[in-house]
Amino acid sequence: MNANSERSKPGRGTVPPGAGDVGSRVATPVIIDTDPGIDDAIAILLALASPELDVLGLTTVAGNTTLHNTTANAMRVLDLAGRHDIPVAAGADRPLIRTPWHAEDVHGADGLGGADLPAAQRQPIRTHAVDFIAGQLHASPVPVTLITIGPLTNIALLLALHPAAASRIGHVVMMGGSTGAGNITPTAEFNIWFDPEAAHRVFASNLPKTIVGLDVARQAIVRSEDLTRLQAGGRVGQLVTGLVDYYSRYYQERHGTPDTCQHDALTVAHLIRPELVTTRRLNVTVEYGSDETRGTTVIGEPLITGAAAHAAVAFELDAVAFTELLLDRLSALDAHVG
Ligand code: RIB
Ligand code: CA
């Protein structure tokens, strides 16, 4: 059974009514490479609630927690949303070179803050994530967009193992890096820090890429009180409320504020509404030579460095519009799922 036959129907048929009219535009086929992870789970739900996107599959990677947990969590979230048509393919269980270090102080031992969510009702497909992505890229009649919201290990392996498939990628929208301070070290953002060699391979490639970094993600705030908007009180609302409450306690303890940064949902939202952020084309490289600065993204202004501006880098965010979009879509999904 190949990856394509495991997709029983196009996913758009189950998009909740009122989740936003896309008119006659065709949904963008996307694959989400993810390490759920509290904010990943919310980002996945946003993607499922958005008719602009046709989620071909989720591919998982070790990052926030172990590959076992990220894979189980991806399926648990899809089960909650009733999306048994979307395959999950497990990928790399560790970085290319580095020793894994999971952010379980942030996301909990299970990766979802101990959320009251049933165990996965199915297994991941037998196809490895990298081979699944390659198969989808070759099979799709139109370019596929990769949304990466975890470490870039799978994407680096894709470039190494399936260069012909990688050349068919329409766009990579990635959460990673920072034009300012880091969150795992003073200068590095977690996704890039976790596997800096993989990030280097991806950033140095000629893939069409957009980078949503920590500095702009820090503007994508959701507070627990925002969630009273999830009026339907369904299972999606209950899960998201629990996830944000757990995340908020971490932010309060670590950063002295209950405001949670929705890094991964912003990355998905950028695809749905590109105008939410302003981007500039810049050169971005990754430092991986020393432990001290591993994972630091170095943003080069081409006029100064003369280096190729190979990436669109997100800057200013319309934060109010982002929160509105996220909560409107989650509310619609909540009402749809019940
Ligand atoms: O630094 C934030 C990123 O690291 C997010 O993707 C979060 O889920 C973690 O993976
Ligand atoms: Ca993530």
Side-chain angles (χ1 to χ4, degrees), residues 35 39-40 64 107 149-150 175 183 189-191 214 263-264:
D35 63 335
D39 58 328
D40 300 70
N64 285 323
H107 298 267
I149 50 178
M175 194 282 134
N183 60 356
E189 176 280 323
F190 178 80
N191 286 339
L214 201 50
H263 323 85
D264 295 343

Side-chain angles (χ1 to χ4, degrees), residues 285-307:
T285 57
V286 183
E287 214 294 306
Y288 55 95
S290 80
D291 281 345
E292 191 66 26
T293 56
R294 75 180 251 195
T296 300
T297 43
V298 181
I299 311 292
E301 178 61 65
L303 294 177
I304 298 170
T305 64

